[in-house]
């Protein structure tokens, strides 16, 4: 596990370009929380523009491989895995562009992961797209093993692991009590005792303006980047 002084967090992209004015060499590490594709129609970002933006993110990762982590979100996984799509579906799935998206994810699959963890100051952070809630972990503990980024990342390697991360909770229209780290709603993070060993950083549940910052987790899906340092979590000042 890395000990880092300052991390830049880029929440759900969905074709938006705010990340370009946020990244830079002043950060020891940059974590993208996933959901690179499937733009919202009301934001007037075309699917092609979102895809071009995604390709730029991939190139940025390649140029700064050791400093950039690209996490997967549910809007990525439904192109990465047919099993995930069959189990969890996904809004704004683009069937016309899907073959091209699927090919990109397959060719670049080594660049992506499910989870990342690091120490900043005295705090141990766990980063996933939607969060790991205790009720989901209790259902799948035999599959996951110890709760850490390494074991979570191995869930991508097997059908059993894909089935676990495809859980969708009732608050998101699914059948399970709570969703998995791709689909958990932020409200589900309150349902069960938290993991004392981690402070979780998540996106997925888009907020109108301000982030949700609690004692044990922060939901940063606000269409802007955030900085994590030994002083805590702060929005990046807009340029």
């Amino acid at each position: 596990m890395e000990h880092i002084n300052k991390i830049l967090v880029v929440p759900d992209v969905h074709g938006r370009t705010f990340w370009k004015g946020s990244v830079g060499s002043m950060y020891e590490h940059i974590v993208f929380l996933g959901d690179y594709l499937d733009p919202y129609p009301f934001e007037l970002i075309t699917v092609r523009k979102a895809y071009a933006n995604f390709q730029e993110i991939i190139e940025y990762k390649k140029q700064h491989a050791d400093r950039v982590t690209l996490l997967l979100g549910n809007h990525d996984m439904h192109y990465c895995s047919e099993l995930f799509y069959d189990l969890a579906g996904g809004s704004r799935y683009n069937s016309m562009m899907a073959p091209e998206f699927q090919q990109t994810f397959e060719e670049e699959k080594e660049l992506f992961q499910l989870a990342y963890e690091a120490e900043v100051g005295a705090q141990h952070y766990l980063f996933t797209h939607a969060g790991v809630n205790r009720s989901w972990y209790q259902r799948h503990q035999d599959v996951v093993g110890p709760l850490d980024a390494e074991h979570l990342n191995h869930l991508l390697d097997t059908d059993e692991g894909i089935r676990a991360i495809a859980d969708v909770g009732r608050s998101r229209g699914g059948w399970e009590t709570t969703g998995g780290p791709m689909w958990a709603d932020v409200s589900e993070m309150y349902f069960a005792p938290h993991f004392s060993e981690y402070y979780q950083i998540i996106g997925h549940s888009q907020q109108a303006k301000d982030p949700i910052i609690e004692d044990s987790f922060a939901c940063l899906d606000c269409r802007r980047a955030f900085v994590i340092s030994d002083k805590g979590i702060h929005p990046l000042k807009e340029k």
Side-chain angles (χ1 to χ4, degrees):
M1 181 179 57
E2 294 182 285
H3 184 90
I4 296 173
N5 293 317
K6 189 178 290 187
I7 295 178
L8 181 77
V9 182
V10 179
D12 305 38
V13 173
H14 289 301
R16 305 171 186 122
T17 59
F18 68 90
W19 68 273
K20 296 182 184 181
S22 303
V23 298
S25 60
M26 68 286 295
Y27 305 108
E28 290 179 69
H29 207 84
I30 301 168
V31 181
F32 287 76
L33 295 181
D35 276 6
Y36 308 98
L37 300 168
D38 299 346
Y40 288 91
F42 67 86
E43 292 187 329
L44 303 180
I45 302 170
T46 68
V47 175
R48 279 290 178 188
K49 285 184 177 179
Y51 184 45
N53 186 56
F54 177 44
Q55 291 175 310
E56 289 186 57
I57 292 172
I58 288 174
E59 287 306 310
Y60 188 80
K61 161 68 174 176
K62 290 179 177 179
Q63 293 168 12
H64 307 276
D66 295 335
R67 290 180 48 245
V68 177
T69 293
L70 301 182
L71 300 185
L72 291 166
N74 57 300
H75 285 272
D76 312 310
M77 276 303 299
H78 63 198
Y79 297 114
C80 293
S81 166
E82 291 184 7
L83 176 60
F84 183 92
Y85 179 70
D86 289 342
L87 294 170
S91 61
R92 305 193 306 282
Y93 179 89
N94 192 297
S95 57
M96 184 175 295
M97 291 288 292
E100 197 166 350
F101 296 163
Q102 291 162 356
Q103 182 178 353
T104 298
F105 278 114
E106 177 61 27
E107 291 175 350
E108 309 292 359
K109 62 183 178 181
E110 299 302 322
L111 302 181
F112 298 92
Q113 58 196 73
L114 178 67
Y116 172 74
E117 61 182 299
E119 285 187 356
V120 182
Q123 189 65 262
H124 189 172
Y125 290 92
L126 177 65
F127 301 76
T128 60
H129 177 65
V132 180
N133 62 70
R134 189 174 290 275
S135 61
W136 174 84
Y137 180 61
Q138 289 172 341
R139 286 200 306 275
H140 298 291
Q141 187 169 0
D142 289 345
V143 178
V144 180
L147 182 60
D148 56 35
E150 179 181 1
H151 286 84
L152 287 169
N153 286 327
H154 283 309
L155 295 177
L156 297 171
D157 300 334
T158 65
D159 286 351
E160 189 177 29
I162 297 295
R163 290 188 182 95
I165 64 175
D167 278 3
V168 182
R170 293 170 191 155
S171 62
R172 291 275 182 157
W175 296 101
E176 300 292 344
T177 305
T178 55
M182 291 289 182
W183 262 110
D185 190 78
V186 67
S187 63
E188 297 169 10
M189 298 298 286
Y190 298 97
F191 285 175
H194 299 290
F195 301 100
S196 59
E197 62 268 40
Y198 294 114
Y199 188 97
Q200 295 198 58
I201 302 296
I202 64 175
H204 183 61
S205 296
Q206 184 167 260
Q207 304 303 301
K209 182 180 178 181
D210 298 318
I212 297 173
I213 299 180
E214 297 288 338
D215 291 339
S216 57
F217 73 90
C219 176
L220 305 182
D221 187 8
C222 298
R223 301 165 298 282
R224 63 186 303 187
F226 288 78
V227 177
I228 299 176
S229 69
D230 58 2
K231 297 179 181 179
I233 305 167
H234 303 283
L236 184 67
K237 294 182 179 179
E238 296 181 354
K239 297 181 180 180

